[in-house]
Amino acid sequence: MINFQNIKKFEGNYYFKRIFSEITRKHSYSIALFLLGFPVHVVTYFLYLLKKNENLYVPLFAQMKQQFISEGKVHAWAAEYKQQEQTKAAFFNELLNERQLDAVVNQLTEQKLHREIEKILTKDGLAKPSYKSYFSELLENPLFLVLSFIPGVFMYIFLILCSNAFSRFIVERLVQSAFVIVGVATLVFTILYLSPFDPARNLLGIEATPEQVANFNKIYGLDQPYLVQLWHSLSGLFTFDLGNSFEGKENITQSIMNKFPVTLEIALLSLLMAVAIAIPVGIISAVRPNSFADYAFMLIALIGLSIPSFWQGLIFILTFSLKLQWFPATYNPNNWLSIVMPVVVLGTSITASIARMTRSSMLEVIHEDYIITAKAKGLSERKVITKHAIRNAMIPIVTVIGLLFGGMLGGASVTEKVFNISGIGSYIVDKQFIPDIPALLGGVVYIAITISIVNMVIDVLYAFFDPRIRSKMKKS
């Protein structure tokens, strides 16, 4: 039977009120909503101050305060607190003059009076109205929603995004990623700022005059204090205006946009190759432990982990390009065969790592009690492995895949140099010896953004593979 009452809760104006009440339990969400809807909150808070005195709470509070005074309770509390303070001062051999003693006693008595009145009014349902409750009630008013939608559009978008546990989780991860990116950019800039390399001398040459060096530093702002340079660099990142590089005065944003897709393409193809090979190999090794196939696969994986990528790339060029002439020795975007060797070289080590992790994770899972129970119920080995074991073993495997993919994006420079690929890795290597600070910051930040997105996808995949994580996300 359909519960129309529950459906009604998610319709109309109660929708925003419900979400607002849920997420403002966390102080960080309250701050975010206040900042995103600042124009709206300025007006509503002013209205709240005007209407607050119209509530029954204020006259009732004053009436009960007078009642406590007339009954002598306030005088009794003051005498009690005065005796306590005098006893404490005598115990610690402290001297208290009458003015200090009266100030302390009055403060303690006033606090006691407020606590007692609050307790009685809260019990009777007449608690002091808060701005949060006032604003929550306004969200039920259709006229308020219409009038506040344009000035508070970002606040309402944020409320809609936070209406679901998964979307709220993604929003939190995006905010965390923003702080990570700022931290990475600050760290990289600080290291480059403290570096002994002098961009002006490296670009102008050792024969450059002091006037030429000073003029170069003035043009690019290198003569300014550390904090000023850091602010200019960070503000450029958030406005997507990375400026021009020191060398060649090329537009950094355009250069990265041209070079990053090549690195991303090679990394993705290497990852797909690794997953397609490593996971089946790891499952076979785990299902048949200590067999010939297990030993053979793990030996090959160990060799793959031990081979340096630059050496493997050179061997591939000598063998498959120069001798057999199967593939081009250097990368050519117009020839798809030229990407085969870079993909294989970059994917070799991660294939070995994923295979070993898959075997280890599967071995741990297939000896669990629920796997033994599934076999005892008569399920075939194939169904036990595909429907139960693999799904529960995927969390550590997904973690390793994400970490290795991030490492490929940041560490593909060796492979790119060997095969003459104009990607983001080789771009950063070329710029770091100047050092070309804007170009380096741009390249590192783009890689940090990509890795942050990958980590967020991995966290979402955790919830897909493990229902316990989904349950925790919904409860939180």
Side-chain angles (χ1 to χ4, degrees), residues 2-3 120 139 151 187 200 220 265 275 294 306 310 340 350 370 398 413 418 469 473:
I2 300 176
N3 191 337
I120 295 173
L139 291 175
L187 179 62
Y220 291 102
E265 180 185 9
V275 170
D294 181 25
S306 305
F310 70 90
V340 174
I350 66 169
Y370 62 88
V398 168
S413 55
V418 170
I469 298 177
M473 289 173 60

Side-chain angles (χ1 to χ4, degrees), residues 191-198 202 435:
I191 293 174
L192 294 174
Y193 181 83
L194 299 175
S195 170
F197 292 105
D198 187 355
N202 290 336

